[in-house]
């Protein structure tokens, strides 16, 4: 079976061997306060920072999911309110989760084909945490890099970015935001059950100002532990081990970025050339990592069923576009051969459709 599901998604084939090695090493039976574990954690963070080119002053923590990051941010980093700039289901969920905790989240949603511009700065107020979904997995849109830079130039608000379906797939402008997070079951090509949370010195300063320590996952408590290469609770040691191995295996993010963008460009020319309509018309905001295709309900059902018969899993639509789109993950763990198989299938389906 070949899967193009945008999360959980295809796991790197090498993971099978790494799981075996993790077992042999004894590390996954070891206590998480042991020297062995602390060395593993330290090395994994170092390798991640080096491969993804994360600024030295930013700190990296491992938590359980992107959803948990929504809660951590709401608990530990909000003073007055948060402003949620989003155009799809994940950005909206983030706002809703935040609202349940902080009761002060503001909606700055925008349209699917709109290019985000900074004329929204008028609504920013001091201390407001700006929340942006870098890659909206539900509808295959991305925020152009200039947008984060423009916020940085204009205001000094703290900026948090959900990069769940783009981190480790494309180069991210780390310095243009303060909080970045992603679960590992998307571009990292790993089994689900862990997330990477990255914070700038300014975010740490904010956490200290807020001083929130009421939860097992309060940011300051997580940090206290990670500074000693420990964790506040018994961690996903296997997940950390596998992440470390994958970070040693993959090329530097600049190289991965080139491949991802080349493949995305190929998808965006192949699909229309074969009569498939793209969900996102505005080229500026088309995602590099999640390709969304629009069609009517019957055609999508047929496509998904026929694909399955050939051993190919397409991603369902999600959120508002659930029934009228399907999604193709463009994640690094997927091979060129697999992409060719899917293209061959889609080309055949296109001929039948004419
Ligand atoms: C998948 C996804 C999430 C949720 O990830 P979990 O690991 O299930 O918490 C959040 N945001 C975005 C943009 C996603 O793609």
């Amino acid at each position: 079976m070949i899967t193009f599901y945008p999360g959980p998604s295809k796991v790197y084939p090498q993971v099978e061997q790494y799981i075996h090695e993790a077992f042999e090493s004894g590390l996954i039976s070891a206590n998480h306060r042991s020297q062995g574990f602390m060395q593993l954690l330290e090395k994994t963070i170092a390798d991640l920072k080096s491969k993804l080119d994360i600024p030295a002053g930013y700190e990296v923590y491992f938590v359980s999911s992107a959803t948990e990051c929504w809660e951590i941010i709401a608990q530990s980093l909000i003073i007055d309110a948060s402003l949620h700039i989003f155009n799809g289901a994940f950005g909206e969920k983030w706002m809703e989760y935040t609202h349940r905790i902080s009761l002060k989240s503001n909606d700055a949603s925008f349209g699917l084909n709109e290019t985000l511009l900074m004329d929204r700065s008028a609504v920013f107020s001091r201390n407001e945490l700006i929340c942006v979904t870098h890659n909206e997995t539900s509808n295959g849109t991305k925020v152009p890099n200039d947008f984060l830079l423009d916020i940085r130039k204009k205001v000094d608000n703290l900026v948090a970015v959900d990069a769940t379906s783009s981190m480790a797939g494309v180069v991210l402008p780390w310095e243009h935001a303060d909080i970045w997070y992603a679960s590992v079951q998307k571009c990292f090509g790993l089994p689900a059950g862990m997330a990477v949370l990255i914070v700038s010195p300014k975010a740490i300063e904010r956490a200290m100002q807020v001083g929130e320590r009421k939860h097992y996952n309060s940011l300051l408590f997580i940090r206290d532990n990670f500074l000693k290469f420990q964790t506040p609770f018994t961690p996903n040691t296997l997940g950390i081990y596998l992440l470390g191995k994958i970070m040693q295996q993959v090329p530097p993010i600049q190289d991965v970025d080139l491949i991802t963008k080349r493949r995305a460009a190929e998808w965006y020319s192949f699909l229309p050339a074969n009569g498939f309509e793209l969900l996102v018309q505005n080229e500026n905001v088309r995602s590099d990592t999640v390709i969304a295709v629009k069609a009517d309900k019957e055609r999508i059902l047929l496509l998904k069923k026929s694909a399955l018969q050939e051993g190919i899993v397409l991603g369902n639509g999600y959120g508002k576009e659930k029934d009228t789109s399907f999604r193709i993950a463009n994640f690094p763990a997927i091979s060129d051969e697999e992409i060719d198989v899917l293209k061959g299938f889609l080309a055949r389906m296109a001929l039948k459709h004419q």
Side-chain angles (χ1 to χ4, degrees):
M1 203 54 101
I2 310 180
T3 179
F4 290 88
Y5 220 95
S9 55
K10 188 195 168 191
V11 165
Y12 278 106
Q14 292 89 336
V15 167
E16 185 176 358
Q17 175 63 26
Y18 298 154
I19 290 175
H20 187 71
E21 289 172 21
F23 190 88
E24 297 276 288
S25 76
L27 263 172
I28 52 174
S29 303
N31 185 295
H32 62 290
R33 311 276 175 216
S34 67
Q35 208 57 39
F37 174 81
M38 293 193 286
Q39 278 164 2
L40 170 71
L41 188 60
E42 182 172 9
K43 175 143 178 46
T44 304
I45 292 172
D47 288 343
L48 179 100
K49 285 183 84 167
S50 138
K51 279 293 164 67
L52 299 189
D53 206 14
I54 298 168
Y58 281 47
E59 294 185 7
V60 174
Y61 317 129
F62 301 134
V63 294
S64 65
S65 66
T67 304
E68 189 191 3
C69 293
W70 292 339
E71 292 214 346
I72 293 170
I73 293 165
Q75 287 162 185
S76 298
L77 290 166
I78 294 178
I79 295 181
D80 292 341
S82 53
L83 181 77
H84 297 259
I85 304 176
F86 66 94
N87 73 355
F90 285 104
E92 186 171 20
K93 265 197 205 174
W94 183 3
M95 179 179 70
E96 287 167 2
Y97 274 66
T98 304
H99 195 76
R100 280 182 229 159
I101 290 176
S102 80
L103 300 175
K104 288 173 290 192
S105 56
N106 299 316
D107 183 332
S109 48
F110 60 99
L112 176 68
N113 281 303
E114 246 180 90
T115 307
L116 270 176
L117 293 172
M118 260 305 288
D119 51 4
R120 289 176 178 276
S121 61
V123 294
F124 294 168
S125 63
R126 225 180 127 252
N127 281 336
E128 196 169 45
L129 176 74
I130 301 173
C131 301
V132 180
T133 303
H134 183 258
N135 192 77
E136 183 45 81
T137 322
S138 69
N139 58 25
T141 56
K142 69 171 178 191
V143 165
N145 282 349
D146 285 355
F147 179 70
L148 293 172
L149 178 61
D150 286 348
I151 295 182
R152 266 289 193 258
K153 281 195 210 144
K154 227 166 205 154
V155 292
D156 69 351
N157 292 44
L158 215 59
V159 180
V161 183
D162 181 343
T164 299
S165 54
S166 51
M167 190 187 293
V170 294
V171 166
L172 295 174
W174 302 113
E175 305 271 8
H176 301 164
D178 303 289
I179 301 122
W180 293 88
Y181 60 88
S183 344
V184 298
Q185 75 271 21
K186 299 189 182 168
C187 288
F188 283 95
L190 284 165
M194 203 167 80
V196 177
L197 174 60
I198 301 166
V199 293
S200 73
K202 198 168 131 189
I204 294 164
E205 222 174 274
R206 167 67 66 91
M208 288 174 175
Q209 192 186 351
V210 174
E212 188 277 311
R213 287 183 175 274
K214 282 187 295 205
H215 303 274
Y216 80 96
N217 59 1
S218 295
L219 193 67
L220 292 174
F221 186 41
I222 293 177
R223 178 167 194 258
D224 290 347
N225 279 273
F226 271 80
L227 287 178
K228 298 179 286 185
F229 298 109
Q230 295 191 1
T231 56
F233 53 87
T234 317
N236 182 350
T237 305
L238 178 59
I240 295 169
Y241 183 94
L242 296 177
L243 176 63
K245 284 283 180 187
I246 289 296
M247 284 300 109
Q248 288 164 25
Q249 170 196 311
V250 295
I253 191 63
Q254 289 80 3
D255 299 353
V256 176
D257 180 271
L258 287 178
I259 297 170
T260 301
K261 286 179 178 157
R262 174 192 37 93
R263 287 174 169 181
E266 287 166 4
W267 274 123
Y268 287 126
S269 78
F270 170 89
L271 289 161
N274 284 277
F276 291 94
E277 189 185 345
L278 298 170
L279 180 64
V280 184
Q281 272 108 44
N282 181 352
E283 288 182 25
N284 286 328
V285 302
R286 277 182 194 154
S287 165
D288 298 309
T289 49
V290 179
I291 319 291
V293 185
K294 190 174 163 175
D296 59 52
K297 208 170 165 173
E298 289 68 39
R299 177 122 205 266
I300 285 173
L301 285 173
L302 176 70
L303 279 168
K304 284 196 294 203
K305 197 175 115 207
S306 311
L308 219 47
Q309 282 164 355
E310 301 200 14
I312 304 169
V313 181
L314 294 173
N316 290 338
Y318 192 101
K320 251 192 231 148
E321 286 78 23
K322 188 174 193 313
D323 294 329
T324 51
S325 69
F326 68 87
R327 295 172 300 159
I328 302 169
N330 184 31
F331 295 164
I334 297 168
S335 67
D336 284 331
E337 292 72 29
E338 290 170 325
I339 294 172
D340 287 343
V341 170
L342 177 55
K343 283 186 179 159
F345 164 77
L346 290 172
R348 269 182 283 122
M349 291 303 285
L351 285 177
K352 273 192 210 162
H353 188 61
Q354 276 168 357

